[in-house]
Amino acid sequence: PACPNVNDWWNWVLEPFGYEFMQRALLATLALCVAAPMCGIWSLSRRLVYLTDAMSHGILAGVAGASIVGGSLLVGGLLAAVTMALFVSLLVVRARVPEDGAIGVVGQGLFALGVLGVSLQSDPKALSHILFGNPLTVDRTDVAIDVALAVAVVLVISALRPVLLATTFDPVHARTVGMRVGLIDATLLVTLSLTMVTGLVTVGVLMAVTLVIAPAVTARLLGRSLDSMMAIAVASGVISGVGGLVISYHAGLPTGPVVALVAVAQ
């Protein structure tokens, strides 16, 4: 048989996006695939990867609580993520608790609350999509929220770039010249929490962790400057999102794990 030509490949890639539900899935997924790698560069540089993973579990408490009271799962997840970020910052800055200890205590505490909350549900499996994601079911409101959160993350990270550079690579000098390193750290943690919540209804919070970390690792290996690393990380995230959606559509596989695997494969 003849080898597929370029037009065949393009048709294969573009075919899924002829459907409106796939277009919504694409927008929601791309929002995360741009915001997550930008946070990931700083998370990796500041050794916050463990926090990212712990936050994905801690969010379960907010989601379960919101489900019990009939509230918005996104709002519940956001409140849990921000609460975790602020408590970790408080323990590290005020109580001088080591970062990994603070993350472990707060993250596991919220995760335990989340498990209890899930056990109180009439159908515990109803919240599984929050952990593993299903971008094919997002509606226009979900897309608007995801895009708004992603834009907020990009704007904050861009605005914080000078102080993040200073406090990441020379925190002692930053304190000497009067920079409030603790406040900057807290702001970064809250921004990271926004990123994780963006993944609630797209690839799921567990897979969102991969999109924060994997593109940043790829960029760290290939980039030679901060600008090049940021560009590589975002490009890797976008390729992961689009590639994962296309492959999962044609193969009939769950989208979230496929997106994560494409990100890791790069």
Side-chain angles (χ1 to χ4, degrees):
C3 294
N5 57 36
V6 175
N7 288 332
D8 291 333
W9 282 112
W10 272 115
N11 290 335
W12 186 80
V13 171
L14 295 177
E15 177 189 336
F17 305 112
Y19 300 97
E20 187 177 351
F21 74 94
M22 286 297 295
Q23 295 169 9
R24 293 195 300 268
L26 178 64
L27 289 174
T29 302
L30 285 180
L32 177 65
C33 291
V34 171
M38 290 189 69
C39 266
I41 291 293
W42 296 110
S43 297
L44 189 63
S45 299
R46 298 169 83 96
R47 299 181 180 179
L48 294 175
V49 172
Y50 177 40
L51 172 65
T52 306
D53 182 58
M55 192 173 285
S56 70
H57 294 80
I59 284 175
L60 183 62
V63 171
S67 179
I68 289 173
V69 301
S72 167
L73 301 185
L74 279 172
V75 173
L78 179 60
L79 289 175
V82 171
T83 298
M84 180 175 177
L86 293 177
F87 266 107
V88 169
S89 297
L90 184 64
L91 288 174
V92 172
V93 176
R94 299 297 182 184
R96 303 297 180 185
V97 176
E99 287 186 359
D100 55 349
I103 294 168
V105 168
V106 179
Q108 292 306 312
L110 286 174
F111 184 50
L113 283 175
V115 172
L116 287 176
V118 170
S119 69
L120 296 175
Q121 306 288 320
S122 57
D123 180 13
K125 293 182 180 180
L127 297 179
S128 62
H129 69 287
I130 295 298
L131 295 177
F132 305 110
N134 189 1
L136 304 186
T137 62
V138 298
D139 56 27
R140 293 182 180 180
T141 301
D142 293 328
V143 172
I145 292 173
D146 282 355
V147 171
L149 289 174
V151 169
V153 168
V154 171
L155 291 177
V156 171
I157 291 296
S158 300
L160 288 179
R161 173 179 167 142
V163 292
L164 286 173
L165 273 172
T167 56
T168 298
F169 300 107
D170 197 350
V172 175
H173 177 70
R175 289 189 179 93
T176 302
V177 298
M179 288 188 179
R180 301 181 65 180
V181 177
L183 179 60
I184 294 168
D185 287 342
T187 304
L188 179 60
L189 295 184
V190 171
T191 306
L192 181 60
S193 71
L194 291 177
T195 305
M196 299 304 298
V197 172
T198 304
L200 275 177
V201 293
T202 51
V203 297
V205 290
L206 294 180
M207 300 304 166
V209 176
T210 307
L211 287 173
V212 171
I213 300 169
V217 171
T218 299
R220 190 74 172 265
L221 292 172
L222 300 178
R224 293 294 179 266
S225 66
L226 180 61
D227 288 336
S228 64
M229 286 192 292
M230 197 68 73
I232 291 170
V234 172
S236 176
V238 171
I239 291 171
S240 301
V242 176
L245 283 170
V246 172
I247 293 172
S248 66
Y249 171 85
H250 287 290
L253 296 172
T255 304
V258 175
V259 171
L261 285 174
V262 174
V264 170
Q266 295 182 65

